[in-house]
Amino acid sequence: MTIRATNQPRARVIPLRPFPAAPGPAPAREPLWRDLVGDVLRRERLSQERTLKDVADAARISMAYLSEVERGRKEASSEVLAAAARALGLSLADVLALAQGELIRLSGARSRSTGQHDRPAGPLGTVRLAA
């Protein structure tokens, strides 16, 4: 069997493994919103010395789902976040403000470690959240 040359373009090969990264320090990973919100919920729950089951029951969500939200494994809807916040005696705005503060703190620490000073946090100079 012989292979004939055709005028068709060759298929582009896509590597299955990413190319090795350039030597040097790895770039800092941007914090995920779900991780920040989950940390806030867990920190508030633990500061009130309440169990996961207690807060999940009060919020009327499953204990497993609340655990996944706290660990940043699930991206919770605003309804679930509001229910969890109410169960902790907070408003949704309180939870988002606490998460925003954590984001600013982490972003500031990251910019200090990379030497990026005096740079505004966002296009308007501040981080703005809408609930």
Side-chain angles (χ1 to χ4, degrees):
M1 172 186 239
T2 60
I3 300 175
R4 291 186 207 170
T6 63
N7 290 335
Q8 295 179 359
R10 296 183 72 192
R12 190 172 70 129
V13 176
I14 300 172
L16 297 177
R17 294 188 184 129
F19 292 110
R29 192 176 130 242
E30 191 78 26
L32 297 176
W33 185 247
R34 67 176 183 246
D35 290 332
L36 297 171
V37 171
D39 288 344
V40 166
L41 292 175
R42 177 168 281 181
R43 191 170 50 244
E44 288 298 315
R45 178 178 61 79
L46 293 175
S47 73
Q48 295 177 17
E49 298 180 357
R50 294 176 65 188
T51 65
L52 198 60
K53 180 173 178 13
D54 176 42
V55 175
D57 288 346
R60 299 182 59 126
I61 56 180
S62 78
M63 191 171 65
Y65 190 73
L66 179 58
S67 174
E68 289 185 322
V69 169
E70 283 188 353
R71 290 180 289 131
R73 305 284 181 174
K74 295 288 183 183
E75 191 89 46
S77 68
S78 58
E79 291 87 358
V80 169
L81 291 177
R86 277 192 307 274
L88 292 166
L90 303 170
S91 69
L92 180 58
D94 293 332
V95 170
L96 297 180
L98 290 168
Q100 177 191 15
E102 186 68 9
L103 177 61
I104 291 169
R105 186 186 69 76
L106 291 172
S107 295
R110 195 178 82 239
S111 66
R112 281 190 302 277
S113 69
T114 60
Q116 299 172 348
H117 297 289
D118 301 326
R119 197 172 115 205
L124 300 176
T126 60
V127 176
R128 299 181 190 276
L129 300 175

